[in-house]
Structure formats: structure tokens, C-alpha cells
Amino acid sequence: MENLPELSREGLNYDKSNSIAIIIGLTFMVLFRFIGYLASKPPKAAPIGKQGFCLVVLGDIGHSPRMLFHARSALNAGYKVDVIGYKGSQLPEDLDSNPSIHFHYLTALPRVSESLPRVLYYLFAPIKAVVLAFQLLYVAMFRVSAPEVYLVQNPPSIPTLHVMQIVNWCKQRHLVIDWHNYGSTVVAHRLGQNSIFTKIVALYERMWGYKATIHITVSRAMARELLYKFEKRGKITTLYDRAPEHFRQLSVDEVHNFHADLKLETLVKEQTLNSNFLPTMGANQTLLTEKKTASGPATFRADRPVLIVSSTSWTADEDFQILLDAARQYDDLAKLENGNKAGSIYRKLLFVITGKGPLKQHYEEVISKMALENVAFVTTWLIPEDYPLLLGSADLGVSLHTSTSGVDLPMKVVDMFGCALPVCAFKYPTLSELVVAKSNGLVFENAGELKSQFANLFKNFPLDKPESQTQLEGMRHVLRNSFQLTRWSENWDEMLLPLLKNLDKTWADSQMFAERPVYTLNPQDATAPLEDDLEDDDQLLDE
């Protein structure tokens, strides 16, 4: 009985603490409801062309081709464009010198090397996110005047999404999220699906990427996930990547002029062990072409190597070892079948690998130690103007992109298709939206399959008349009559510009269909098979 008063006091203290917690919770609930009410009001934006178009990407701007394409299209539509991101790779000349576009560079913080202990990543990542958040908030709020549209690239998700949601709410404009992939799957690929960081990023992405006036996706599979799995609120539209007009197949004379400047033979000498790989070089000759006279027409050399191009980000989500293993297997086959005459039956293959990334140095060391007779690898980094010229002069492209989410599409294949260049691409389900096996390219799942594709394509390959190789030329014909008919500018004007011209209506529609978000498909996909669960949504949009 003597303990009763003490128990009563403890109970009283508990009730008092519980009441305070309830009051605080109700206060925050009312505050967030009020903020939600304000944020749900339709943004007030001027007609197109009257104000600006702000692009946000927490990455190297010059190494973000899709965002640069957005910038070009917005300029052509009459916008004044601001771009927020990191300074790095050289910008295309037409954008760098355009007075209607302004670049606002953030200070890039150091990257945690993948070779360091994971605990350093856990310690550094939150600090980096906070610093970047304040930096981005300052630039977006005070250095960029209120644009009509904020177009944000995702990933990276943190801190881009929540900062731009706050900025957009404060300035009452329109937010567009361009979903290239999911930030959570990129983190999961590095740290594991069960990592606490992966779960935090997934929760963050769901919360802060939940609502936007327009959600742009790079594939139909991603659009389905946003629509059904994540139930995003807003207009969901698929804007496929397309190469611009200057991506095209080169004539033989253009190949000659480009390679006379590029001098791949110098890179081969510097980066390979096989001194006999190169053909003899004389006057009016490049590694691929030759002229009988300085002013005469160029022709392909009969003793040239096959030129195969692959662009890579040199990260763990592209298994570059598959290509190395396939090349080694092809070289073993060629040495067995060719006998003492290299390249006589199975042709010599020259792989030119472009790109930057954390694993580049590791693989360059591996490549430098490979003793191959019929295969050579060189790595290089090209300025933006030279990259389409390399693709336009190649015989084949290779894509090792595996997709961390399974629903994005490789931009490198888009670039190759823009040059009517067939590809061998690593197979995953969504890839079929871009690469149709044995129609515009080939797909593989392991090094053995890739080696077999090289062997089938380049056994007795007509080096001086590559257009007579029926399988590759057939793929080029398909690309010229399908993929190349629609370029980025036309695609953007048809799919995105109408939504931007009627942003208030787009916003209203996104609220009306909040329980069942609006979804649109690219018109080029009209012939593609649709799943039954999408037919009702397509009919809804047609009404």
C-alpha cells in the first residue's frame, strides 16, 4: 500500500508525456495538412516562351546527353534555359555559345572510392547529401529566377527530389521528373538489397518522387511500374531516347577524313602488345581506308581490321569481363582456323572502348596484359563532336548494359542505332523495347554467345565491301526504315511539348486521375504488342 502514491505519480507522469506527444503530433499533422493544401493549389505559370525552363542534374552536365537534348529542344521551343549541375566534360559548342542558356555549376564533392571500406561510405554519404542539399537549394532559389518548368533528372535521388519539391512549392511552378532509373536500385547494386541505405533511398524516392505535374520515363516497362507498382501521382508519359540528326552512317570518304585525324593506329601501338596486328601504313592510307591518289575517292582496305565500338561507364553494372572473355574465345578460334595467316578466315577485330568511370584503370591494366593475335583493344575519350563520327564509321556496336532496375534502356544503343549501326547487346527483359533480336541487332547472355555472334558475323567478312555482308546490312536497312525515321527533336515535340504548352490542364488532369494516373505511350509503339492490363488505360486516353 505504501507504493501506491509512487505508482500514481509514475502513471501521472506517463499520462502527461503521452498527452504532450499527442499534442505535438496533432500540431505537425495540422501543419502538414496546411502545407499540403497550399501545395495542392494549381501552379501559376506563364504561357510557353514567356519564362524559363530549368534543368537539374546532380552529375556532369557534359556527360548527360539526355538532359542536353532536353535543353536543345527547350531552346527550339522558345524557352530561356537554365541548367544546374556539375562542370566536367566539354559542352557541345552549340549550347556553350548560346546566349539563351545559362549553366549554374555546383561544387562537386569527392567521391568515395569503391576500393575503400564500406563504413566510409556510410559516414560520408549523409554529410555529402546535406552539403549538396544546401548548395542546390541556394542555387535553385536565388540564382535562377522562377522558371515555368523545373525538369529534374532521377537518379541521383538524394538530395535532388526533396530540394526541388521544396523549391517548386515555394515558387509555385511546375515540376517534371525525368526517370532515367531508380536511385534505390543503383544503391542496391553497390551496397546490397538489404542495406539500410538502400531502404532509406527507396523510401525517400517513394515519398519525394510521389507527385509531379509530369513523370517522364525512358521505357514502357518503367511507366507501368510508376503507374501500377508505385502509384505515382501526375501525368506519366514515355519519352524514348532518340539520337539527334547528326548521328548517321558516314560515307567512305567521310570515314577516311575522320580516321586520318583520329589515328587509331597510334592508339593500337601504344596500348597493345601485338606489333603485328596493324596493316602496313602508307601515304593516303588510314587504318580502315585508302586512296590511290590524294584527290581520288576513298575505299575500304582489304587488310583492315573490323571496327567494333563499345561505350561504357566503367561501373559494376556493366560486366566488361564478358567482352574480354568473348574476345579471348574468338581469338582462340581464329588462331585454330586461320593457321599461320592471321585474319584470313576469321577477321581481326579492333575494339574501341569509349567512356569514363571508376573501373577504367583496372580494366586497362587487364587489357594491357592480354596477349591476343586476332583481337586488339584500345580505350579513348572523345569530344562530343567526334563520338557520332566514330559510331558512323564502325562495323558493329556492343552494349554490356545490364540495368540495375531492369526497366531502363541503354543510351549507347540509341546512339548506335542513330548511326544505323547494328549492336550485340546483353539481354534483359526491357531491352526488347529497343533491340529486336535478329532484326536490328543481336542479344547475348554470356561470353560464349557473344563469341559465337562475332564468329558468325566476321567469318570471311568482306573487309573492302562491308555492305555486301547480308546480315549486318539487313540490320542497317531495318534501322534506316524504322528507328532513324524519328529523331529526338521530333519525338520531343510530339510527346512532351503538347504537355508543356498546356501545363495547367496537365496539372488538372493529374489531380483528376490521382487514383488512376494518366498514362501515354510513344506513337511509334502502336505496332508493339500491349499487355491486357494496359489496354484500358490506352482507351481511356483516346477518349
Side-chain angles (χ1 to χ4, degrees):
M1 296 294 293
E2 294 178 356
N3 293 331
L4 284 178
E6 184 177 351
L7 290 173
S8 299
R9 283 195 299 271
E10 290 178 356
L12 182 61
N13 291 334
Y14 173 79
D15 291 339
K16 187 182 295 185
S17 300
N18 196 36
S19 300
I20 292 173
I22 292 173
I23 292 172
I24 292 174
L26 289 173
T27 301
F28 275 103
M29 185 180 297
V30 172
L31 177 62
F32 288 140
R33 290 290 292 175
F34 178 66
I35 293 175
Y37 163 73
L38 293 178
S40 66
K41 295 173 65 177
K44 299 174 182 178
I48 189 167
K50 298 289 184 178
Q51 294 197 23
F53 190 100
C54 182
L55 294 161
V56 181
V57 49
L58 287 191
D60 180 352
I61 297 174
H63 197 50
S64 304
R66 183 174 170 98
M67 301 304 281
L68 294 178
F69 292 162
H70 278 302
R72 273 198 197 91
S73 296
L75 288 169
N76 293 336
Y79 285 99
K80 290 185 178 180
V81 177
D82 290 278
V83 183
I84 302 174
Y86 297 143
K87 187 174 184 177
S89 304
Q90 181 179 337
L91 294 170
E93 177 61 28
D94 63 315
L95 293 180
D96 197 24
S97 60
N98 194 315
S100 294
I101 185 170
H102 296 90
F103 294 92
H104 307 272
Y105 295 113
L106 304 175
T107 301
L109 299 180
R111 176 189 176 95
V112 179
S113 173
E114 297 192 8
S115 61
L116 294 177
R118 187 171 293 180
V119 66
L120 293 179
Y121 179 87
Y122 290 138
L123 292 173
F124 182 68
I127 299 173
K128 182 177 180 179
V130 171
V131 174
L132 285 177
F134 280 105
Q135 192 179 174
L136 177 59
L137 181 65
Y138 170 76
V139 173
M141 284 290 291
F142 303 111
R143 291 180 57 187
V144 177
S145 59
E148 183 180 0
V149 177
Y150 290 104
L151 194 151
V152 178
Q153 173 184 306
N154 184 74
S157 307
I158 300 176
T160 314
L161 291 181
H162 84 271
V163 171
M164 295 313 300
Q165 288 282 10
I166 292 171
V167 170
N168 185 64
W169 172 72
C170 289
K171 295 194 175 185
Q172 287 291 280
R173 314 312 281 178
H174 286 280
L175 182 66
V176 177
I177 302 176
D178 193 359
W179 296 83
H180 295 199
N181 206 337
Y182 302 137
S184 57
T185 62
V186 174
V187 174
H189 188 81
R190 180 179 181 183
L191 302 180
Q193 193 65 43
N194 296 323
S195 167
I196 184 64
F197 265 56
T198 301
K199 295 176 181 179
I200 289 174
V201 174
L203 180 61
Y204 173 95
E205 208 166 25
R206 281 175 177 264
M207 179 183 299
W208 292 103
Y210 167 65
K211 184 169 72 172
T213 302
I214 305 172
H215 296 275
I216 305 173
T217 68
V218 296
S219 73
R220 296 175 65 205
M222 182 180 288
R224 291 188 199 105
E225 287 203 346
L226 295 187
L227 176 65
Y228 293 113
K229 182 178 178 180
F230 300 119
E231 298 180 345
K232 297 296 182 186
R233 188 172 180 181
K235 180 88 169 182
I236 301 175
T237 186
T238 299
L239 181 68
Y240 280 120
D241 283 310
R242 288 291 185 268
E245 290 76 5
H246 64 281
F247 281 73
R248 59 181 180 82
Q249 185 179 4
L250 302 185
S251 67
V252 183
D253 283 320
E254 289 173 324
V255 173
H256 183 86
N257 293 334
F258 172 62
H259 282 271
D261 295 330
L262 184 61
K263 299 187 182 302
L264 282 177
E265 61 274 11
T266 302
L267 292 177
V268 174
K269 290 178 182 178
E270 294 174 348
Q271 299 183 24
T272 65
L273 298 174
N274 184 4
S275 59
N276 298 321
F277 182 83
L278 293 172
T280 57
M281 302 295 296
N284 302 319
Q285 286 185 320
T286 72
L287 184 60
L288 302 182
T289 58
E290 61 186 357
K291 288 184 176 183
K292 292 183 178 179
T293 63
S295 59
T299 59
F300 283 110
R301 298 179 57 159
D303 58 350
R304 72 177 179 93
V306 173
L307 179 57
I308 303 177
V309 177
S310 181
S311 176
T312 177
S313 57
W314 298 104
T315 56
D317 64 345
E318 295 185 351
D319 190 354
F320 196 75
Q321 192 62 46
I322 290 179
L323 179 57
L324 297 183
D325 291 342
R328 186 178 288 107
Q329 293 175 25
Y330 176 89
D331 187 64
D332 291 340
L333 174 65
K335 284 188 287 188
L336 180 65
E337 296 294 330
N338 293 342
N340 295 326
K341 195 172 182 181
S344 59
I345 299 175
Y346 289 95
R347 305 306 191 189
K348 292 181 179 181
L349 307 183
L350 173 59
F351 292 89
V352 177
I353 315 299
T354 69
K356 295 180 180 179
L359 296 179
K360 182 179 180 180
Q361 184 177 356
H362 165 73
Y363 280 112
E364 283 181 333
E365 292 176 358
V366 173
I367 291 170
S368 67
K369 298 174 183 177
M370 294 177 66
L372 304 175
E373 183 177 318
N374 296 276
V375 178
F377 284 89
V378 296
T379 62
T380 186
W381 172 255
L382 300 174
I383 62 174
E385 289 77 13
D386 283 351
Y387 178 57
L389 299 179
L390 178 64
L391 297 182
S393 63
D395 297 296
L396 182 71
V398 173
S399 170
L400 301 169
H401 183 78
T402 56
S403 178
T404 58
S405 65
V407 292
D408 69 322
L409 294 172
M411 184 71 185
K412 68 199 71 178
V413 174
V414 173
D415 293 337
M416 293 170 184
F417 280 2
C419 295
L421 180 64
V423 301
C424 294
F426 188 87
K427 183 180 180 181
Y428 61 96
T430 307
L431 184 69
S432 60
E433 293 187 31
L434 181 61
V435 180
V436 181
K438 298 182 180 179
S439 176
N440 58 16
L442 299 172
V443 297
F444 61 89
E445 296 184 80
N446 52 58
E449 291 182 1
L450 182 57
K451 180 270 297 183
S452 297
Q453 290 169 4
F454 291 155
N456 292 334
L457 290 173
F458 301 119
K459 180 180 180 180
N460 295 318
F461 181 75
L463 296 169
D464 55 342
K465 295 182 179 180
E467 68 278 2
S468 63
Q469 210 280 2
T470 55
Q471 187 173 8
L472 284 176
E473 188 58 29
M475 294 177 186
R476 289 187 186 270
H477 178 76
V478 171
L479 291 170
R480 293 189 196 103
N481 290 279
S482 57
F483 193 88
Q484 287 193 318
L485 296 180
T486 303
R487 295 295 184 167
W488 170 270
S489 57
E490 299 163 350
N491 199 33
W492 197 90
D493 290 346
E494 185 171 359
M495 295 302 300
L496 191 58
L497 186 57
L499 302 179
L500 297 175
K501 282 184 174 180
N502 299 281
L503 281 167
D504 290 333
K505 182 178 184 301
T506 302
W507 172 269
D509 287 346
S510 71
Q511 305 309 297
M512 183 184 303
F513 292 98
E515 299 302 321
R516 191 181 191 187
V518 180
Y519 176 82
T520 57
L521 293 177
N522 225 341
Q524 284 72 29
D525 301 315
T527 58
L530 288 173
E531 281 76 359
D532 293 338
D533 60 357
L534 284 176
E535 292 179 353
D536 293 339
D537 296 287
D538 297 335
Q539 293 171 4
L540 175 65
L541 292 169
D542 293 336
E543 293 176 355

